[in-house]
mmCIF file of all heavy atoms in Angstrom:
data_model
loop_
_atom_site.group_PDB
_atom_site.id
_atom_site.type_symbol
_atom_site.label_atom_id
_atom_site.label_comp_id
_atom_site.label_asym_id
_atom_site.label_seq_id
_atom_site.Cartn_x
_atom_site.Cartn_y
_atom_site.Cartn_z
ATOM 1 N N LYS A 1 73.639 103.585 239.101
ATOM 2 C CA LYS A 1 74.090 102.406 239.775
ATOM 3 C C LYS A 1 73.403 102.044 241.065
ATOM 4 O O LYS A 1 73.420 100.894 241.454
ATOM 5 C CB LYS A 1 75.632 102.612 240.069
ATOM 6 C CG LYS A 1 76.509 102.573 238.831
ATOM 7 C CD LYS A 1 76.539 101.217 238.183
ATOM 8 C CE LYS A 1 77.566 101.108 237.067
ATOM 9 N NZ LYS A 1 77.667 99.760 236.476
ATOM 10 N N GLN A 2 72.877 103.020 241.815
ATOM 11 C CA GLN A 2 72.327 102.812 243.089
ATOM 12 C C GLN A 2 70.812 102.913 243.211
ATOM 13 O O GLN A 2 70.217 103.086 244.258
ATOM 14 C CB GLN A 2 72.960 103.649 244.102
ATOM 15 C CG GLN A 2 74.319 103.108 244.730
ATOM 16 C CD GLN A 2 75.392 103.144 243.821
ATOM 17 O OE1 GLN A 2 75.710 104.188 243.210
ATOM 18 N NE2 GLN A 2 76.044 102.002 243.586
ATOM 19 N N TRP A 3 70.113 102.881 242.074
ATOM 20 C CA TRP A 3 68.605 103.014 242.105
ATOM 21 C C TRP A 3 68.077 101.703 242.673
ATOM 22 O O TRP A 3 68.640 100.615 242.470
ATOM 23 C CB TRP A 3 68.120 103.169 240.662
ATOM 24 C CG TRP A 3 66.721 103.815 240.657
ATOM 25 C CD1 TRP A 3 65.602 103.144 240.612
ATOM 26 C CD2 TRP A 3 66.411 105.189 240.783
ATOM 27 N NE1 TRP A 3 64.495 104.023 240.686
ATOM 28 C CE2 TRP A 3 65.027 105.279 240.789
ATOM 29 C CE3 TRP A 3 67.210 106.382 240.813
ATOM 30 C CZ2 TRP A 3 64.413 106.558 240.798
ATOM 31 C CZ3 TRP A 3 66.488 107.596 240.813
ATOM 32 C CH2 TRP A 3 65.139 107.646 240.873
ATOM 33 N N GLU A 4 67.072 101.825 243.482
ATOM 34 C CA GLU A 4 66.455 100.695 244.143
ATOM 35 C C GLU A 4 65.861 99.689 243.101
ATOM 36 O O GLU A 4 65.258 100.177 242.159
ATOM 37 C CB GLU A 4 65.394 101.115 245.200
ATOM 38 C CG GLU A 4 65.918 102.017 246.296
ATOM 39 C CD GLU A 4 66.931 101.273 247.197
ATOM 40 O OE1 GLU A 4 66.849 99.996 247.264
ATOM 41 O OE2 GLU A 4 67.670 101.925 247.896
ATOM 42 N N ASP A 5 66.055 98.402 243.337
ATOM 43 C CA ASP A 5 65.493 97.418 242.423
ATOM 44 C C ASP A 5 63.976 97.328 242.500
ATOM 45 O O ASP A 5 63.320 96.934 241.503
ATOM 46 C CB ASP A 5 66.137 96.019 242.679
ATOM 47 C CG ASP A 5 67.616 96.116 242.483
ATOM 48 O OD1 ASP A 5 68.078 96.797 241.557
ATOM 49 O OD2 ASP A 5 68.349 95.403 243.238
ATOM 50 N N SER A 6 63.410 97.535 243.659
ATOM 51 C CA SER A 6 61.974 97.380 243.878
ATOM 52 C C SER A 6 61.274 98.752 243.809
ATOM 53 O O SER A 6 61.759 99.701 244.412
ATOM 54 C CB SER A 6 61.725 96.725 245.177
ATOM 55 O OG SER A 6 60.326 96.677 245.500
ATOM 56 N N GLU A 7 60.069 98.732 243.249
ATOM 57 C CA GLU A 7 59.238 99.910 243.285
ATOM 58 C C GLU A 7 58.540 100.124 244.590
ATOM 59 O O GLU A 7 58.036 101.180 244.869
ATOM 60 C CB GLU A 7 58.249 99.822 242.161
ATOM 61 C CG GLU A 7 58.835 99.893 240.748
ATOM 62 C CD GLU A 7 59.324 101.280 240.361
ATOM 63 O OE1 GLU A 7 59.006 102.237 240.987
ATOM 64 O OE2 GLU A 7 60.165 101.324 239.428
ATOM 65 N N ASP A 8 58.556 99.062 245.444
ATOM 66 C CA ASP A 8 57.742 99.081 246.569
ATOM 67 C C ASP A 8 58.557 99.198 247.934
ATOM 68 O O ASP A 8 57.960 99.045 248.986
ATOM 69 C CB ASP A 8 56.898 97.754 246.678
ATOM 70 C CG ASP A 8 55.954 97.671 245.495
ATOM 71 O OD1 ASP A 8 55.360 98.660 245.141
ATOM 72 O OD2 ASP A 8 55.887 96.582 244.939
ATOM 73 N N ILE A 9 59.815 99.469 247.782
ATOM 74 C CA ILE A 9 60.684 99.574 248.952
ATOM 75 C C ILE A 9 60.243 100.794 249.822
ATOM 76 O O ILE A 9 59.817 101.810 249.302
ATOM 77 C CB ILE A 9 62.192 99.665 248.572
ATOM 78 C CG1 ILE A 9 63.035 99.497 249.782
ATOM 79 C CG2 ILE A 9 62.450 101.030 247.897
ATOM 80 C CD1 ILE A 9 64.534 99.310 249.471
ATOM 81 N N VAL A 10 60.210 100.608 251.158
ATOM 82 C CA VAL A 10 59.849 101.661 252.071
ATOM 83 C C VAL A 10 60.933 102.695 252.324
ATOM 84 O O VAL A 10 60.740 103.854 252.174
ATOM 85 C CB VAL A 10 59.291 101.044 253.365
ATOM 86 C CG1 VAL A 10 58.889 102.207 254.348
ATOM 87 C CG2 VAL A 10 58.124 100.165 253.120
ATOM 88 N N PHE A 11 62.058 102.123 252.748
ATOM 89 C CA PHE A 11 63.219 103.015 253.009
ATOM 90 C C PHE A 11 64.353 102.694 252.055
ATOM 91 O O PHE A 11 64.911 101.555 252.162
ATOM 92 C CB PHE A 11 63.716 102.779 254.517
ATOM 93 C CG PHE A 11 62.662 103.211 255.547
ATOM 94 C CD1 PHE A 11 62.072 102.204 256.286
ATOM 95 C CD2 PHE A 11 62.326 104.521 255.688
ATOM 96 C CE1 PHE A 11 61.097 102.549 257.246
ATOM 97 C CE2 PHE A 11 61.314 104.915 256.654
ATOM 98 C CZ PHE A 11 60.761 103.856 257.438
ATOM 99 N N ALA A 12 64.750 103.656 251.264
ATOM 100 C CA ALA A 12 65.795 103.395 250.232
ATOM 101 C C ALA A 12 67.093 103.073 251.007
ATOM 102 O O ALA A 12 67.437 103.757 251.976
ATOM 103 C CB ALA A 12 65.981 104.645 249.403
ATOM 104 N N ASP A 13 67.779 102.101 250.516
ATOM 105 C CA ASP A 13 69.035 101.609 251.244
ATOM 106 C C ASP A 13 70.196 101.307 250.293
ATOM 107 O O ASP A 13 71.324 101.247 250.707
ATOM 108 C CB ASP A 13 68.686 100.315 251.957
ATOM 109 C CG ASP A 13 69.866 99.766 252.756
ATOM 110 O OD1 ASP A 13 70.315 100.512 253.688
ATOM 111 O OD2 ASP A 13 70.322 98.671 252.488
ATOM 112 N N LYS A 14 70.015 101.206 249.042
ATOM 113 C CA LYS A 14 71.025 100.772 248.112
ATOM 114 C C LYS A 14 72.234 101.689 248.155
ATOM 115 O O LYS A 14 73.421 101.302 248.271
ATOM 116 C CB LYS A 14 70.517 100.556 246.686
ATOM 117 C CG LYS A 14 71.450 99.726 245.833
ATOM 118 C CD LYS A 14 70.832 99.352 244.502
ATOM 119 C CE LYS A 14 71.722 98.430 243.701
ATOM 120 N NZ LYS A 14 71.020 97.978 242.395
ATOM 121 N N ALA A 15 71.932 102.996 248.013
ATOM 122 C CA ALA A 15 73.024 103.995 248.050
ATOM 123 C C ALA A 15 73.635 104.098 249.377
ATOM 124 O O ALA A 15 74.900 104.276 249.564
ATOM 125 C CB ALA A 15 72.467 105.370 247.620
ATOM 126 N N ALA A 16 72.871 103.939 250.472
ATOM 127 C CA ALA A 16 73.338 104.008 251.797
ATOM 128 C C ALA A 16 74.355 102.828 252.083
ATOM 129 O O ALA A 16 75.407 102.961 252.610
ATOM 130 C CB ALA A 16 72.213 103.927 252.854
ATOM 131 N N SER A 17 73.992 101.632 251.599
ATOM 132 C CA SER A 17 74.851 100.424 251.701
ATOM 133 C C SER A 17 76.170 100.658 250.933
ATOM 134 O O SER A 17 77.245 100.224 251.399
ATOM 135 C CB SER A 17 74.145 99.215 251.232
ATOM 136 O OG SER A 17 72.977 98.889 252.066
ATOM 137 N N TYR A 18 76.025 101.246 249.813
ATOM 138 C CA TYR A 18 77.202 101.529 248.920
ATOM 139 C C TYR A 18 78.141 102.441 249.718
ATOM 140 O O TYR A 18 79.397 102.182 249.745
ATOM 141 C CB TYR A 18 76.798 102.231 247.598
ATOM 142 C CG TYR A 18 77.919 102.626 246.783
ATOM 143 C CD1 TYR A 18 78.657 101.680 245.997
ATOM 144 C CD2 TYR A 18 78.232 103.987 246.632
ATOM 145 C CE1 TYR A 18 79.686 102.089 245.209
ATOM 146 C CE2 TYR A 18 79.278 104.419 245.843
ATOM 147 C CZ TYR A 18 79.993 103.444 245.116
ATOM 148 O OH TYR A 18 80.996 103.862 244.314
ATOM 149 N N GLN A 19 77.686 103.491 250.335
ATOM 150 C CA GLN A 19 78.546 104.406 251.069
ATOM 151 C C GLN A 19 79.237 103.709 252.204
ATOM 152 O O GLN A 19 80.419 103.955 252.430
ATOM 153 C CB GLN A 19 77.677 105.553 251.656
ATOM 154 C CG GLN A 19 77.078 106.512 250.606
ATOM 155 C CD GLN A 19 78.150 107.220 249.741
ATOM 156 O OE1 GLN A 19 78.333 106.806 248.595
ATOM 157 N NE2 GLN A 19 78.789 108.207 250.240
ATOM 158 N N ARG A 20 78.524 102.924 252.973
ATOM 159 C CA ARG A 20 79.085 102.205 254.098
ATOM 160 C C ARG A 20 80.093 101.165 253.626
ATOM 161 O O ARG A 20 81.155 101.051 254.260
ATOM 162 C CB ARG A 20 77.984 101.578 254.989
ATOM 163 C CG ARG A 20 77.153 102.521 255.659
ATOM 164 C CD ARG A 20 76.136 101.936 256.612
ATOM 165 N NE ARG A 20 75.434 102.934 257.358
ATOM 166 C CZ ARG A 20 75.808 103.507 258.443
ATOM 167 N NH1 ARG A 20 76.991 103.231 258.991
ATOM 168 N NH2 ARG A 20 75.029 104.453 259.022
ATOM 169 N N TYR A 21 79.834 100.515 252.541
ATOM 170 C CA TYR A 21 80.762 99.578 251.958
ATOM 171 C C TYR A 21 82.070 100.236 251.559
ATOM 172 O O TYR A 21 83.133 99.702 251.892
ATOM 173 C CB TYR A 21 80.145 98.846 250.744
ATOM 174 C CG TYR A 21 81.184 98.046 249.926
ATOM 175 C CD1 TYR A 21 81.703 96.858 250.432
ATOM 176 C CD2 TYR A 21 81.612 98.520 248.720
ATOM 177 C CE1 TYR A 21 82.618 96.126 249.644
ATOM 178 C CE2 TYR A 21 82.589 97.817 247.977
ATOM 179 C CZ TYR A 21 83.033 96.604 248.489
ATOM 180 O OH TYR A 21 84.029 95.974 247.739
ATOM 181 N N GLN A 22 81.952 101.310 250.892
ATOM 182 C CA GLN A 22 83.151 102.076 250.424
ATOM 183 C C GLN A 22 84.021 102.536 251.635
ATOM 184 O O GLN A 22 85.188 102.428 251.605
ATOM 185 C CB GLN A 22 82.773 103.313 249.581
ATOM 186 C CG GLN A 22 82.222 102.906 248.260
ATOM 187 C CD GLN A 22 83.219 102.257 247.316
ATOM 188 O OE1 GLN A 22 84.373 102.407 247.457
ATOM 189 N NE2 GLN A 22 82.726 101.442 246.386
ATOM 190 N N GLY A 23 83.337 102.965 252.735
ATOM 191 C CA GLY A 23 84.089 103.407 253.858
ATOM 192 C C GLY A 23 84.797 102.206 254.560
ATOM 193 O O GLY A 23 85.985 102.311 254.901
ATOM 194 N N SER A 24 84.082 101.164 254.718
ATOM 195 C CA SER A 24 84.736 99.959 255.384
ATOM 196 C C SER A 24 85.834 99.390 254.565
ATOM 197 O O SER A 24 86.889 98.915 255.073
ATOM 198 C CB SER A 24 83.580 98.872 255.595
ATOM 199 O OG SER A 24 82.663 99.396 256.483
ATOM 200 N N LYS A 25 85.673 99.352 253.244
ATOM 201 C CA LYS A 25 86.773 98.789 252.393
ATOM 202 C C LYS A 25 88.019 99.687 252.412
ATOM 203 O O LYS A 25 89.070 99.193 252.450
ATOM 204 C CB LYS A 25 86.221 98.722 250.887
ATOM 205 C CG LYS A 25 87.235 98.108 249.922
ATOM 206 C CD LYS A 25 86.668 98.066 248.491
ATOM 207 C CE LYS A 25 86.506 99.373 247.880
ATOM 208 N NZ LYS A 25 86.223 99.299 246.387
ATOM 209 N N PHE A 26 87.763 101.030 252.466
ATOM 210 C CA PHE A 26 88.914 101.913 252.400
ATOM 211 C C PHE A 26 89.839 101.800 253.635
ATOM 212 O O PHE A 26 91.063 101.898 253.485
ATOM 213 C CB PHE A 26 88.355 103.361 252.289
ATOM 214 C CG PHE A 26 89.435 104.423 252.109
ATOM 215 C CD1 PHE A 26 90.188 104.485 250.973
ATOM 216 C CD2 PHE A 26 89.727 105.283 253.105
ATOM 217 C CE1 PHE A 26 91.207 105.433 250.816
ATOM 218 C CE2 PHE A 26 90.680 106.247 252.986
ATOM 219 C CZ PHE A 26 91.456 106.302 251.817
ATOM 220 N N VAL A 27 89.227 101.641 254.838
ATOM 221 C CA VAL A 27 90.041 101.678 256.012
ATOM 222 C C VAL A 27 90.849 100.387 256.201
ATOM 223 O O VAL A 27 91.739 100.303 257.054
ATOM 224 C CB VAL A 27 89.177 101.851 257.287
ATOM 225 C CG1 VAL A 27 88.471 103.174 257.187
ATOM 226 C CG2 VAL A 27 88.178 100.729 257.507
ATOM 227 N N ARG A 28 90.698 99.388 255.353
ATOM 228 C CA ARG A 28 91.590 98.181 255.389
ATOM 229 C C ARG A 28 93.046 98.578 255.013
ATOM 230 O O ARG A 28 93.960 98.013 255.553
ATOM 231 C CB ARG A 28 91.110 97.198 254.414
ATOM 232 C CG ARG A 28 89.717 96.592 254.692
ATOM 233 C CD ARG A 28 89.266 95.649 253.655
ATOM 234 N NE ARG A 28 87.835 95.447 253.585
ATOM 235 C CZ ARG A 28 87.083 95.038 252.621
ATOM 236 N NH1 ARG A 28 87.767 94.692 251.405
ATOM 237 N NH2 ARG A 28 85.786 94.826 252.632
ATOM 238 N N ASP A 29 93.207 99.562 254.119
ATOM 239 C CA ASP A 29 94.529 99.872 253.641
ATOM 240 C C ASP A 29 95.041 101.250 253.934
ATOM 241 O O ASP A 29 96.212 101.513 253.707
ATOM 242 C CB ASP A 29 94.561 99.748 252.051
ATOM 243 C CG ASP A 29 94.190 98.317 251.657
ATOM 244 O OD1 ASP A 29 94.699 97.393 252.179
ATOM 245 O OD2 ASP A 29 93.344 98.173 250.705
ATOM 246 N N PHE A 30 94.196 102.119 254.503
ATOM 247 C CA PHE A 30 94.589 103.501 254.709
ATOM 248 C C PHE A 30 94.450 103.817 256.180
ATOM 249 O O PHE A 30 93.685 103.246 256.944
ATOM 250 C CB PHE A 30 93.656 104.377 253.883
ATOM 251 C CG PHE A 30 94.480 105.531 253.206
ATOM 252 C CD1 PHE A 30 95.084 105.255 251.924
ATOM 253 C CD2 PHE A 30 94.662 106.751 253.837
ATOM 254 C CE1 PHE A 30 95.714 106.311 251.282
ATOM 255 C CE2 PHE A 30 95.390 107.742 253.158
ATOM 256 C CZ PHE A 30 95.931 107.475 251.895
ATOM 257 N N ASP A 31 95.172 104.851 256.654
ATOM 258 C CA ASP A 31 95.051 105.274 258.018
ATOM 259 C C ASP A 31 94.531 106.740 258.068
ATOM 260 O O ASP A 31 94.721 107.513 257.163
ATOM 261 C CB ASP A 31 96.371 105.239 258.816
ATOM 262 C CG ASP A 31 97.423 106.139 258.282
ATOM 263 O OD1 ASP A 31 97.398 107.319 258.717
ATOM 264 O OD2 ASP A 31 98.339 105.742 257.519
#
C-alpha cells in the first residue's frame, strides 16, 4: 500500500505521510 509511485524519488515519503495521517486522524476522537 505504501510503495512510492516514482522510481526516481529522493526521499521516500508515502509511508511517512501515512503514519502522520493515522496519528492526526486518531486524536480527533480519542484522548
Side-chain angles (χ1 to χ4, degrees):
K1 290 292 188 179
Q2 272 73 52
W3 202 267
E4 299 295 338
D5 297 324
S6 171
E7 294 290 341
D8 300 317
I9 192 166
V10 177
F11 298 110
D13 181 64
K14 197 169 183 178
S17 296
Y18 175 77
Q19 294 298 104
R20 291 186 178 276
Y21 167 74
Q22 290 295 332
S24 296
K25 182 178 73 169
F26 184 69
V27 301
R28 298 173 198 161
D29 300 315
F30 225 87
D31 69 82

